[in-house]
């Protein structure tokens, strides 16, 4: 940081001030919440639950075959 000029240092300080405004949550709290959310949404996920594809209007009804 010795080579930064005054404007760059001011920008850096402003950036750090903005980062301080973020509400941060410990991983020990956020990971269990994320796992719970994922488990709740698994029934809606077509990659995990193929039955969810039936309700998707964008799924192609036929396969493309190259002859």
């Amino acid at each position: 940081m010795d080579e930064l000029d005054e404007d760059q240092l001011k920008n850096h300080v402003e950036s750090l001030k903005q980062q301080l405004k973020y509400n941060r949550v410990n991983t020990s709290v956020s990971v269990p919440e994320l796992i719970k959310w994922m488990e709740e949404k698994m029934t809606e996920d077509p990659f995990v639950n193929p039955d969810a594809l039936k309700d998707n209007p964008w799924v192609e009804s036929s396969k493309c075959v190259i002859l």
Side-chain angles (χ1 to χ4, degrees):
M1 293 223 154
D2 295 336
E3 298 177 16
L4 296 177
D5 65 3
E6 186 177 344
D7 286 339
Q8 289 174 323
L9 287 172
K10 284 181 181 180
N11 288 339
H12 188 70
V13 169
E14 280 302 312
S15 174
L16 292 173
K17 285 180 181 179
Q18 290 293 326
Q19 291 178 30
L20 279 174
K21 292 179 183 179
Y22 289 124
N23 182 19
R24 301 187 187 270
V25 179
N26 288 339
T27 305
S28 61
V29 173
S30 63
V31 168
E33 291 176 359
L34 179 62
I35 290 172
K36 180 182 174 206
W37 179 83
M38 289 169 45
E39 288 173 344
E40 290 173 356
K41 301 293 182 183
M42 269 193 343
T43 59
E44 302 169 21
D45 188 348
F47 292 113
V48 178
N49 182 7
D51 292 335
L53 285 174
K54 294 176 186 173
D55 299 331
N56 186 346
W58 304 108
V59 174
E60 293 182 17
S61 58
S62 63
K63 304 274 187 216
C64 178
V65 179
I66 299 176
L67 300 175

